[in-house]
Amino acid sequence: MSVCEDCVVRNKAICGSLDDGELQIMNRIGHKQVLKAGQTFMWEGDESTVVANVIDGVLKLTNSLDDGREQIVGLAFPADFIGRPYQDNVKHTVTALTDTQICSFSRNGFEQFAHDHPNLEHKVLERTLDELDQARDWMLLLGRKTAAEKLATFLINMSERSADSSCATNFMPQNQFSLPFGRQQIADILGLTIETVSRQLTDLSKKSVVDLPGKRDIVIRDRDALVALANLQP
């Protein structure tokens, strides 16, 4: 069971509901896989054959229009689950934004295992409902929020997702973290131009809401002000 024992996201991933014996079985049907930044794990419209837990790194979920334009519809971080059991076709293209490590399973094998282990099936349902809430938040972010609100919301989310990815189940948002990607990718994620992202970051720095010690380094100096700028619901 060494693979599962050493997994840094074990308690946060969906397999955290399993006991040691169940983990031994799951360990036998899964395998670790490394994706390089820019490598696609699954393509929209293809037959759905695999699902996976994210162990390390960040991936983007995208949909494409007929003219080739791409829209990022979500991000996947460590402990997130990607792929969709019980569906015949892939709904989103999933591509690594950074070098990424995943634990992947055949869809059929995972479905059978989940059927035989109701705790895991319940976790899958919980994650699905969480993703539905996130999708609704994403619609609000892209459709209604201003550039300043978008960036503030993004930084709050990143501070929460950049929290310690160890096996600890309790963690606090980080006020100092490094972004796993550059400003152009932030612009793509938020539907903005890189110039707008840079301008908004500079404005936050001038207002002493954040510090920018490096190209990808963020220090939140005034979290309350950033939350207010994000226009987040309490």
Side-chain angles (χ1 to χ4, degrees):
M1 202 177 67
S2 59
V3 173
C4 290
E5 285 179 338
D6 296 338
C7 179
V8 295
V9 298
R10 171 180 169 182
N11 288 340
K12 295 178 184 178
I14 59 171
C15 46
S17 62
L18 304 177
D19 61 30
D20 288 347
E22 292 168 328
L23 282 173
Q24 290 182 15
I25 300 172
M26 196 168 189
N27 185 35
R28 289 197 291 269
I29 66 172
H31 69 280
K32 286 188 176 180
Q33 184 174 347
V34 175
L35 304 174
K36 293 296 185 181
Q39 183 177 346
T40 295
F41 177 58
M42 55 182 67
W43 293 94
E44 176 186 2
D46 279 0
E47 181 184 359
S48 177
T49 59
V50 293
V51 296
N53 283 324
V54 182
I55 300 173
D56 185 50
V58 182
L59 304 100
K60 64 177 180 178
L61 283 64
T62 62
N63 287 118
S64 298
L65 301 177
D66 291 340
D67 60 6
R69 285 178 294 166
E70 176 188 87
Q71 176 63 57
I72 297 175
V73 296
L75 299 174
F77 294 87
D80 282 347
F81 186 73
I82 52 178
R84 180 64 63 232
Y86 316 113
Q87 285 186 343
D88 293 332
N89 297 102
V90 176
K91 300 302 182 183
H92 313 291
T93 296
V94 180
T95 304
L97 280 174
T98 67
D99 289 347
T100 300
Q101 188 177 51
I102 59 175
C103 185
S104 63
F105 309 87
S106 75
R107 196 198 92 193
N108 289 338
F110 182 87
E111 288 176 0
Q112 183 59 56
F113 183 86
H115 180 268
D116 295 338
H117 299 82
N119 285 343
L120 182 64
E121 203 165 35
H122 181 73
K123 279 291 186 181
V124 172
L125 176 59
E126 284 184 347
R127 289 298 176 97
T128 301
L129 294 175
D130 286 344
E131 289 179 9
L132 178 59
D133 290 338
Q134 292 167 9
R136 289 167 174 163
D137 290 341
W138 196 271
M139 289 172 63
L140 174 63
L141 174 70
L142 294 180
R144 291 296 181 182
K145 289 197 171 187
T146 66
E149 289 172 332
K150 285 181 179 181
L151 185 61
T153 301
F154 174 79
L155 293 177
I156 290 294
N157 287 341
M158 288 302 301
S159 77
E160 295 170 349
R161 299 311 301 265
S162 297
D164 185 9
S165 63
S166 69
C167 286
T169 55
N170 297 318
F171 61 97
M172 295 295 292
Q174 302 296 292
N175 284 329
Q176 184 170 351
F177 55 92
S178 294
L179 296 170
F181 31 66
R183 295 185 180 186
Q184 182 60 64
Q185 288 170 312
I186 296 173
D188 293 340
I189 291 166
L190 299 179
L192 302 172
T193 65
I194 187 173
E195 293 81 10
T196 299
V197 169
S198 296
R199 185 167 58 251
Q200 293 297 331
L201 283 171
T202 299
D203 187 54
L204 289 174
S205 179
K206 288 180 178 178
K207 292 178 179 177
S208 298
V209 177
V210 303
D211 281 336
L212 307 170
K215 287 185 177 180
R216 298 190 179 189
D217 298 325
I218 302 291
V219 178
I220 299 176
R221 297 182 60 186
D222 190 340
R223 177 172 287 273
D224 289 340
L226 192 62
V227 170
L229 285 169
N231 197 19
L232 294 173
Q233 295 296 320

